[in-house]
């Protein structure tokens, strides 16, 4: 026998009137996932025990039940709060943040720490400024995690980690001016390295170019073409230390002309 939420119950031969309420639990994650429970008048979250739904949400921590979907701090439903009318409570979720330690692999700079929302990837905005090591001719190369290269922009962070900065020697641009009206070509060469003919060939640059009517006389650092300006390829005594331009020097080709006289004698000029 019921009437507007009141129920008759028998307890030790006593007839009791018990009022039941509807308590709605909203997961509050945009999924419209709700659970409705019929509870006794005056029940609390503590007294309901295992009847309270256990929701989970990936990358979030459940923080309790609240009286509105905004889940303001002053809207928390305390575990001993008695429900005396139909009600709806909302789960509050707080993001889980992970700590990413940046080891700069550089004695003069301390490690840095950044907080990343679990399940997301690191972006350039998140990263601290890298130390300037240009005076050492070094620049940032990549990050490693446990000695393996780390794909920074495509790896979601799911735990606290330490990323180690790896440095590489700065490369400089060597521009080759063929001094024949054709377009210049460029090659990247690490600081302190010689220019290798094989690398030039791989980059589509002819180490010993040709020009009709001229002989190639080498690469020079200025258009004065002084002997002191000559830059030798494949020679460890000649290394790249900054951006530079090398100019091809051309010498007019010389040919031998042989004159054969009627008496059978030859005279070369």
């Amino acid at each position: 026998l019921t009437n507007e939420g009141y129920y008759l119950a028998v307890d030790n031969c006593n007839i009791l009137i018990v009022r039941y309420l509807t308590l709605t639990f909203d997961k509050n994650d945009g999924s419209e996932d709700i659970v409705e429970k019929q509870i006794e008048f005056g029940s609390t979250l503590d007294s309901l025990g295992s009847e309270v739904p256990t929701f989970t949400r990936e990358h979030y921590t459940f923080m309790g039940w609240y009286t509105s979907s905004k889940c303001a701090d002053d809207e928390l439903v305390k575990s001993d709060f008695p429900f005396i009318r139909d009600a709806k409570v909302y789960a509050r979720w707080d993001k889980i943040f992970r700590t990413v330690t940046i080891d700069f692999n550089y004695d003069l700079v301390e490690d840095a720490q950044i907080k990343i929302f679990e399940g997301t990837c690191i972006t350039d905005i998140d990263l601290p400024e890298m130390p300037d090591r240009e005076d050492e001719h070094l620049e940032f190369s990549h990050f490693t995690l446990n000695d393996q290269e780390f794909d920074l922009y495509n790896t979601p962070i799911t735990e606290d980690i330490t990323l180690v900065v790896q440095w590489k020697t700065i490369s400089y641009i060597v521009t080759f001016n063929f001094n024949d009206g054709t377009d210049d070509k460029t090659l990247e060469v690490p600081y302190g390295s010689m220019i290798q003919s094989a690398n030039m060939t791989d980059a589509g640059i002819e180490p010993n170019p040709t020009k009709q009517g001229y002989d190639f006389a080498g690469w020079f650092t200025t258009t004065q073409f002084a002997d002191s300006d000559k830059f030798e390829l494949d020679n460890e005594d000649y290394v790249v230390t900054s951006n530079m331009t090398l100019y091809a020097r051309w010498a007019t080709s010389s040919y031998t002309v042989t004159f054969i006289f009627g008496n059978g004698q030859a005279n070369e000029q």
Side-chain angles (χ1 to χ4, degrees):
L1 181 65
T2 66
N3 182 26
E4 296 182 356
Y6 289 88
Y7 295 80
L8 290 180
V10 177
D11 181 22
N12 294 328
C13 296
N14 295 315
I15 298 177
L16 305 175
I17 298 178
V18 181
R19 183 180 180 187
Y20 279 82
L21 310 171
T22 300
L23 180 57
T24 303
F25 296 88
D26 190 323
K27 189 176 180 181
N28 195 27
D29 65 346
S31 66
E32 298 184 359
D33 191 356
I34 62 173
V35 173
E36 290 186 347
K37 293 285 184 178
Q38 297 298 312
I39 66 171
E40 291 185 11
F41 179 92
S43 295
T44 66
L45 293 176
D46 278 343
S47 67
L48 291 174
S50 61
E51 291 188 63
V52 177
T54 304
F55 290 128
T56 59
R57 185 179 179 186
E58 191 175 17
H59 309 308
Y60 287 81
T61 299
F62 173 71
M63 301 301 295
W65 297 102
Y66 288 74
T67 57
S68 84
S69 59
K70 294 181 179 179
C71 298
D73 291 342
D74 59 358
E75 295 175 334
L76 175 66
V77 178
K78 295 182 179 180
S79 61
D80 59 355
F81 173 79
F83 292 94
I84 59 174
R85 60 177 61 89
D86 292 345
K88 186 175 185 178
V89 294
Y90 301 81
R92 172 174 165 176
W93 304 98
D94 281 3
K95 292 180 177 180
I96 298 174
F97 286 87
R98 295 298 182 180
T99 299
V100 177
T101 300
I102 306 296
D103 179 350
F104 290 103
N105 195 16
Y106 184 35
D107 292 340
L108 298 182
V109 178
E110 295 183 353
D111 295 351
Q113 289 188 335
I114 57 177
K115 296 291 185 180
I116 302 295
F117 175 37
E118 185 180 277
T120 62
C121 300
I122 299 173
T123 67
D124 287 333
I125 296 175
D126 301 315
L127 291 173
E129 185 177 356
M130 290 292 163
D132 184 354
R133 302 188 68 181
E134 188 173 357
D135 58 340
E136 301 173 76
H137 308 289
L138 295 174
E139 63 183 358
F140 172 78
S141 174
H142 60 276
F143 288 104
T144 57
L145 174 64
N146 299 326
D147 298 323
Q148 300 294 320
E149 185 167 352
F150 184 78
D151 187 358
L152 188 72
Y153 304 111
N154 298 298
T155 307
I157 305 301
T158 58
E159 60 182 346
D160 296 344
I161 60 173
T162 297
L163 298 179
V164 181
V165 174
Q166 301 300 322
W167 302 93
K168 66 179 180 180
T169 302
I170 292 176
S171 290
Y172 291 101
I173 302 298
V174 179
T175 300
F176 295 89
N177 183 320
F178 292 91
N179 201 23
D180 63 354
T182 61
D183 292 337
D184 296 347
K185 293 187 176 181
T186 60
L187 180 70
E188 285 193 16
V189 180
Y191 172 85
S193 299
M194 64 182 178
I195 300 176
Q196 300 184 49
S197 298
N199 292 343
M200 292 179 63
T201 300
D202 290 343
I205 304 171
E206 178 56 56
N208 298 291
T210 58
K211 181 180 178 181
Q212 187 174 5
Y214 293 85
D215 294 325
F216 177 65
W219 295 102
F220 289 76
T221 57
T222 74
T223 55
Q224 303 302 314
F225 301 116
D227 290 343
S228 59
D229 295 334
K230 190 170 186 180
F231 193 98
E232 299 285 353
L233 305 181
D234 303 308
N235 189 327
E236 293 183 351
D237 291 333
Y238 295 81
V239 297
V240 175
T241 59
S242 63
N243 295 330
M244 63 186 303
T245 298
L246 294 179
Y247 302 88
R249 179 180 179 182
W250 302 100
T252 303
S253 298
S254 297
Y255 299 93
T256 299
V257 178
T258 302
F259 295 89
I260 300 177
F261 298 97
N263 58 10
Q265 295 180 342
N267 185 13
E268 296 183 355
Q269 297 292 328

